Amino acid sequence: MISRSSQHAGGGLRICRIFTVWYWLVLAVARCCKRATRLSCIKAFAHSKPAIRLLMGLCFGIALSLVIAPFIEDHCARFLTPSARSVSYFPDDDGDYEPEIKPIPTVKDDGGKQPPIVRPRYLFTELGIKEKLFISVFTDAHSVETLGVAVNRTSNHLVQKLTFFMNGGQSSVLPQGLPVVTFSNNQSHMVPFHTIKYISDHYLNAYDWFYFQSDSTYMRADRLMDFVQHVSVAQNLLIGKPVETENEKVFTCDLEAGILLSQPVMAVVVNNLDWCIRNSMPGKSDARNLRTCLTRAAEDLNISCIDQVNELSYVYHTSQSLNLTSSMSESQLLDLSKAVAIGSFKNEPDFYRLHRLLSEYEMKLVRTQLDALVEEITKIAPLTPEGNKSLVWPIGITPPTKPLNRFDLIQWDYFTDTHIYFDDDFTNIRELKGVDKQDIQDIKSTALDRLNAKYEDRFPRMRLINGYRRFDAARGMEYILDLALFDRKSKNEIFKRVNLLRPLGDVEIVPMPYVTENARVNLLLPVRPGEKDDVLSFFDSYAQTCLKSGDNTYLFVVFIFESVNQEREDIYAVIKSTIAVYENRHRSGTRITWTSVQSAGADGTKLSYVVLDALAKKLSPESLVVRCTVGMELSIEFLNRARMNTIKGWQVFFPIGFWSYKPNLIYDQHPYPTKIEISSKSGRYDTRQYVHASFYVEDYLYAKRQLAGAGGVLGTVDLYDLFVQYHSLHVFRAVEPELRLQFHIHNCTGLVGRAQSDCQHSRAHSLAARSQLGMLIFEYQQKLDQMQLKVMQQQRGENVGQMKPEMLRKK
């Protein structure tokens, strides 16, 4: 900010400098006149009247400035502040201006080296961008299962963060899926202060706005989000329903109407938390104690509770003034739709009834707006360059993609009630099941409902003759149905073709917990007797990728003994000595260790759980595990993606790796390449392999407990099905280009269910591509034909040699 005195000082300096410019201008004119001859000057000005006028005005101005300048210069210093008097606004006339460069001070650590600059991973973290709104709801043991659940169901999916706070000593059973924070203190009047302390410890610098309400308040979450989007968080704002206090100049907010605080105000409330606790009243309600605390913060900031900001009104209603019936007038519903909060509900049926009335009214308004838009588009269409051809059904939806060539054509998939045909490049027909079957049934039901709505319920039933569908990334899933409809009026079967579209909605970013690439990765490598010769190449890859770079990893090698004799003979002795060499060579925190297990007749799925249990006993529940196989090429990129895609209690990662074909079938010459190159001729992404996985030990143990509680047997499902069926977290599957695996023949012994069929499919397609196998068969057939020709020629030569000379003579 520039003070008023400095502005006056700048004005006085400008006047003084103007007179200085006049002085130098007079000197310049005088020097020019000296150099020119007197006669030329007289002639030039004598024949130019404008020049004479200019000269007279110039002389008058110079004389006037010389007379007034001494009086003004005496007053120049009066307008300057003490700090401005010592500042030179213009460089010296004698030399060039040299800017002063002030280097940024550096802080060195104890070793004398400049510490590296660590930047955040995400841009919004570095820029200080926060989430928009954090909502706190006060509840108790008597209302958490009724009104608390109602608030959560009607608002949680529309806001960024909603959390309930209550006294933990009141109830031990909480509704499932309800985000509740309980406090061990049995004093109910302390719940608001514990809530403020909890927010200050976890979310104070993560959100721009903070909202408080009780569970008896119906919050219009969409209206509240729209409200905070249009208000600047830089202001000190306390928004809600104003309530008078003892201080006539300060108004506080009522909790029943909801209280909205900007982040600066919330920071002041946190600073006054000790005062709030000392001045709290045990016999008063949460609303009264919170109101006292907010009043203190408002007095410190010299603000009051307001209900209008930037022409935006915070509208509040009470449920007592409402008649929650379906016969409410349009004006009442319009007035209610403008409200941000509606408070003082006593039971959840009224809560849900109000939510339904407002939702139906909002849907009616949306339909009216859509009809108006369709009518407007229809009127404008003839004025466009394409005319009415620009109208594409349905109006307002993105038109279909126009292919540039035959390769851009989107294929239609043909389906019936039971099967779908040619849905990909590798299958001709497959049975409809799962989500595909649900999709077709939903589309058929929707088509029948729309036809009955148009033709006054004339069609009680129908049957599908032909069905087609395709996915257009620009508009959504399109359907064409040929239907045979039974007409109730004519008692005959009529045929109709209907087009349906399931349009794409707005793209939304799925909120995910924050993860970093600093977590330690525990690599699990099971080794069977048949793989002991190939495990050394995995150690070399691990040493090059992790040990030399110092990556935060830990390799656990599990040796599997299939018999007591193998364990007695120690068939893995050479590998164990190699591990010891690596441990002695690299002592930077990255380690390799080993353990051994007895298969005890277990194989396939059961053996994989034996290995996992042996590792889980050695690790903490917070450990991240990546299951590996022999023949796998490690890379830092793959390990980092495993860290980012695996979130404890939220998501597990099953990457789709690139498996190499059998080298002697795809390469003609030795030596074969040591590195795997990703191409259609060298290998394939095997989508039916689930052996590689990334998960946390805690999630694995929880899924096992759920399986045991459901009466299931651990060996009947593989690890992938265990997470899908017995855990609520996300199971993330994605192609991983950095996960490359050497060829080996898949062992399907001991696998059950889907795992066995997937293994057999992978084994059948792992040798080479179909074109390569066809060429090999063709070449082999050619060799067989050549061998048969040689044999025939040899037999013919032997027969000719055995013939007598007279038999070879011509007749």
Side-chain angles (χ1 to χ4, degrees):
M1 296 291 290
I2 300 176
S3 63
R4 188 177 300 274
S5 60
S6 62
Q7 291 178 354
H8 285 297
L13 286 172
R14 293 190 189 97
I15 296 174
C16 297
R17 295 306 176 187
I18 290 173
F19 295 138
T20 305
V21 172
W22 278 105
Y23 174 73
W24 286 106
L25 186 58
V26 171
L27 292 181
V29 174
R31 290 176 182 176
C32 291
C33 292
K34 287 182 180 179
R35 296 177 182 176
T37 60
R38 182 178 300 176
L39 183 60
S40 61
C41 290
I42 293 174
K43 290 181 179 179
F45 288 107
H47 295 283
S48 177
K49 291 183 179 181
I52 294 175
R53 296 173 182 172
L54 177 63
L55 182 60
M56 293 177 61
L58 184 63
C59 295
F60 178 76
I62 293 172
L64 183 63
S65 63
L66 292 176
V67 173
I68 300 177
F71 298 98
I72 297 180
E73 289 177 352
D74 294 339
H75 298 278
C76 286
R78 297 181 182 179
F79 297 101
L80 299 176
T81 60
S83 60
R85 292 171 185 169
S86 60
V87 177
S88 176
Y89 288 88
F90 291 87
D92 296 336
D93 296 334
D94 297 336
D96 297 332
Y97 174 71
E98 293 291 339
E100 182 182 359
I101 300 176
K102 296 181 179 181
I104 299 176
T106 58
V107 180
K108 296 184 178 181
D109 57 7
D110 297 337
K113 297 181 180 180
Q114 181 68 26
I117 299 176
V118 180
R119 296 186 61 185
R121 175 174 177 81
Y122 300 104
L123 185 61
F124 75 89
T125 305
E126 188 171 21
L127 297 178
I129 300 175
K130 302 180 179 66
E131 298 289 345
K132 186 55 67 176
L133 180 63
F134 180 89
I135 298 178
S136 304
V137 182
F138 297 117
T139 185
D140 54 40
H142 304 290
S143 61
V144 65
E145 296 182 359
T146 55
L147 292 174
V149 173
V151 172
N152 186 61
R153 288 181 176 178
T154 56
S155 303
N156 196 7
H157 60 288
L158 299 174
V159 297
Q160 295 172 330
K161 185 71 174 179
L162 186 145
T163 305
F164 292 82
F165 296 92
M166 61 177 293
N167 187 359
Q170 299 175 353
S171 174
S172 58
V173 179
L174 297 175
Q176 187 176 3
L178 196 70
V180 182
V181 176
T182 58
F183 304 113
S184 58
N185 195 328
N186 293 327
Q187 300 178 3
S188 59
H189 73 284
M190 294 293 292
V191 172
F193 310 126
H194 288 311
T195 301
I196 295 173
K197 181 64 169 63
Y198 179 86
I199 293 175
S200 67
D201 293 340
H202 299 87
Y203 301 110
L204 182 61
N205 296 320
Y207 288 86
D208 287 334
W209 294 93
F210 297 88
Y211 188 77
F212 295 92
Q213 71 163 65
S214 64
D215 58 0
S216 62
T217 302
Y218 174 75
M219 171 183 53
R220 298 289 309 282
D222 52 345
R223 297 282 300 177
L224 181 60
M225 288 296 297
D226 184 69
F227 187 90
V228 298
Q229 292 286 351
H230 292 81
V231 181
S232 174
V233 71
Q235 308 175 61
N236 296 328
L237 294 177
L238 180 61
I239 303 173
K241 178 185 178 183
V243 178
E244 293 182 355
T245 62
E246 297 178 356
N247 188 348
E248 297 180 354
K249 297 181 179 180
V250 177
F251 286 84
T252 187
C253 295
D254 185 9
L255 182 64
E256 287 298 321
I259 304 174
L260 183 63
L261 293 80
S262 61
Q263 198 273 343
V265 177
M266 188 66 192
V268 175
V269 174
V270 171
N271 293 334
N272 293 332
L273 186 58
D274 293 338
W275 182 92
C276 297
I277 295 175
R278 290 195 303 269
N279 292 270
S280 63
M281 293 173 284
K284 300 298 180 180
S285 62
D286 296 348
R288 181 63 181 273
N289 287 320
L290 181 62
R291 190 185 308 168
T292 303
C293 191
L294 295 180
T295 303
R296 172 73 176 187
E299 292 175 350
D300 293 345
L301 294 173
N302 195 21
I303 61 174
S304 290
C305 179
I306 56 177
D307 58 1
Q308 188 169 2
V309 184
N310 300 337
E311 299 182 356
L312 295 175
S313 298
Y314 184 91
V315 183
Y316 165 76
H317 291 286
T318 58
S319 60
Q320 288 80 4
S321 60
L322 302 178
N323 182 17
L324 298 177
T325 62
S326 58
S327 60
M328 294 182 69
S329 63
E330 289 286 332
S331 59
Q332 290 177 326
L333 290 174
L334 178 61
D335 189 33
L336 279 179
S337 65
K338 297 178 180 178
V340 179
I342 303 172
S344 303
F345 279 89
K346 301 300 182 182
N347 53 70
E348 73 277 13
D350 290 341
F351 206 99
Y352 291 122
R353 192 176 294 113
L354 174 63
H355 182 70
R356 178 176 179 178
L357 287 174
L358 291 177
S359 299
E360 291 176 348
Y361 180 72
E362 293 286 347
M363 291 176 62
K364 183 179 178 180
L365 292 180
V366 170
R367 291 193 185 99
T368 304
Q369 295 174 0
L370 290 177
D371 294 339
L373 288 174
V374 169
E375 184 178 356
E376 185 178 357
I377 293 173
T378 306
K379 290 180 179 179
I380 296 176
L383 305 177
T384 61
E386 298 181 357
N388 290 327
K389 294 182 180 180
S390 61
L391 290 176
V392 180
W393 180 88
I395 297 177
I397 302 297
T398 305
T401 303
K402 294 182 179 180
L404 300 177
N405 49 54
R406 62 188 180 91
F407 299 104
D408 293 334
L409 286 173
I410 303 177
Q411 176 183 341
W412 288 90
D413 300 331
Y414 176 77
F415 62 86
T416 62
D417 287 326
T418 57
H419 292 80
I420 186 169
Y421 299 80
F422 307 107
D423 62 330
D424 57 44
D425 296 334
F426 305 102
T427 57
N428 297 329
I429 181 175
R430 67 176 177 86
E431 183 182 358
L432 274 178
K433 57 183 179 180
V435 293
D436 291 325
K437 188 172 183 178
Q438 294 177 6
D439 177 46
I440 301 304
Q441 291 176 348
D442 180 59
I443 286 297
K444 290 166 53 180
S445 176
T446 302
L448 184 61
D449 293 340
R450 296 294 178 89
L451 288 172
N452 283 324
K454 184 177 181 181
Y455 295 101
E456 300 177 353
D457 293 332
R458 289 177 53 184
F459 311 115
R461 61 182 182 272
M462 72 171 186
R463 62 183 179 89
L464 177 65
I465 302 175
N466 299 307
Y468 308 88
R469 74 173 184 179
R470 72 172 185 177
F471 177 74
D472 189 341
R475 54 198 265 123
M477 187 72 81
E478 300 179 68
Y479 304 86
I480 299 176
L481 302 181
D482 294 331
L483 302 176
L485 303 164
F486 178 77
D487 190 1
R488 184 181 283 111
K489 291 184 178 181
S490 63
K491 305 298 181 179
N492 295 324
E493 197 173 51
I494 63 175
F495 302 93
K496 286 187 178 295
R497 167 168 284 191
V498 296
N499 291 4
L500 298 98
L501 173 68
R502 196 190 297 272
L504 294 175
D506 294 336
V507 178
E508 298 181 4
I509 299 177
V510 179
M512 299 292 285
Y514 180 77
V515 292
T516 63
E517 296 179 350
N518 300 324
R520 164 170 280 188
V521 177
N522 299 279
L523 302 175
L524 171 62
L525 180 65
V527 181
R528 306 189 68 170
E531 300 171 337
K532 62 180 182 179
D533 296 333
D534 300 326
V535 71
L536 297 179
S537 61
F538 183 91
F539 289 163
D540 293 337
S541 176
Y542 179 72
Q544 294 292 332
T545 304
C546 301
L547 294 182
K548 289 187 177 181
S549 63
D551 191 63
N552 191 14
T553 57
Y554 203 115
L555 176 60
F556 285 88
V557 183
V558 180
F559 298 116
I560 301 173
F561 293 100
E562 297 179 351
S563 64
V564 180
N565 293 332
Q566 290 181 353
E567 187 174 6
R568 188 183 301 112
E569 296 174 0
D570 198 2
I571 59 176
Y572 300 111
V574 176
I575 303 176
K576 294 177 182 178
S577 61
T578 305
I579 293 175
V581 172
Y582 279 115
E583 279 193 308
N584 295 329
R585 186 183 303 172
H586 303 279
R587 297 183 178 274
S588 59
T590 303
R591 299 180 55 191
I592 307 177
T593 188
W594 63 268
T595 186
S596 60
V597 296
Q598 273 281 355
S599 62
D603 206 347
T605 304
K606 294 182 179 179
L607 182 59
S608 65
Y609 286 116
V610 172
V611 174
L612 289 173
D613 292 341
L615 176 65
K617 295 177 182 178
K618 297 180 177 295
L619 298 177
S620 64
E622 294 78 17
S623 301
L624 173 62
V625 177
V626 174
R627 190 168 66 175
C628 307
T629 58
V630 175
M632 168 182 167
E633 293 183 2
L634 289 174
S635 68
I636 295 295
E637 291 78 8
F638 166 65
L639 296 178
N640 287 337
R641 271 191 284 271
R643 293 183 176 103
M644 299 298 293
N645 293 328
T646 310
I647 306 172
K648 185 177 66 173
W650 189 273
Q651 180 173 284
V652 293
F653 181 40
F654 282 81
I656 302 174
F658 185 84
W659 292 78
S660 174
Y661 289 137
K662 194 172 184 180
N664 62 344
L665 297 181
I666 61 175
Y667 298 113
D668 297 331
Q669 299 178 354
H670 289 276
Y672 301 139
T674 56
K675 295 293 183 180
I676 300 174
E677 179 183 357
I678 295 182
S679 69
S680 59
K681 297 181 179 180
S682 62
R684 60 189 288 266
Y685 285 104
D686 195 344
T687 58
R688 296 205 176 187
Q689 280 293 323
Y690 300 88
V691 64
H692 301 94
S694 177
F695 56 92
Y696 278 89
V697 175
E698 182 177 350
D699 295 329
Y700 167 71
L701 297 177
Y702 175 81
K704 280 185 58 179
R705 291 194 297 269
Q706 293 297 109
L707 173 65
V713 180
L714 192 61
T716 57
V717 294
D718 63 350
L719 184 63
Y720 177 80
D721 290 332
L722 178 69
F723 284 118
V724 171
Q725 299 177 17
Y726 298 99
H727 209 302
S728 59
L729 43 69
H730 299 272
V731 179
F732 182 48
R733 287 275 285 166
V735 170
E736 177 53 62
E738 295 300 327
L739 178 56
R740 307 181 186 187
L741 303 110
Q742 299 288 347
F743 169 81
H744 80 279
I745 299 176
H746 298 284
N747 184 11
C748 303
T749 306
L751 299 179
V752 294
R754 179 199 52 79
Q756 185 178 19
S757 61
D758 288 341
C759 180
Q760 292 174 352
H761 182 275
S762 299
R763 184 169 182 171
H765 292 79
S766 64
L767 293 176
R770 289 187 295 178
S771 59
Q772 293 170 330
L773 293 175
M775 184 59 66
L776 290 173
I777 294 174
F778 177 73
E779 292 176 354
Y780 183 71
Q781 187 64 43
Q782 281 187 328
K783 292 180 180 179
L784 287 179
D785 294 342
Q786 292 178 0
M787 292 174 62
Q788 289 179 357
L789 288 175
K790 289 181 179 180
V791 171
M792 292 174 63
Q793 290 176 359
Q794 290 177 359
Q795 291 178 352
R796 183 175 180 276
E798 293 177 355
N799 293 334
V800 172
Q802 294 177 359
M803 296 177 72
K804 296 181 179 180
E806 58 271 14
M807 297 175 62
L808 298 175
R809 295 175 184 173
K810 293 182 179 180
K811 296 182 178 179

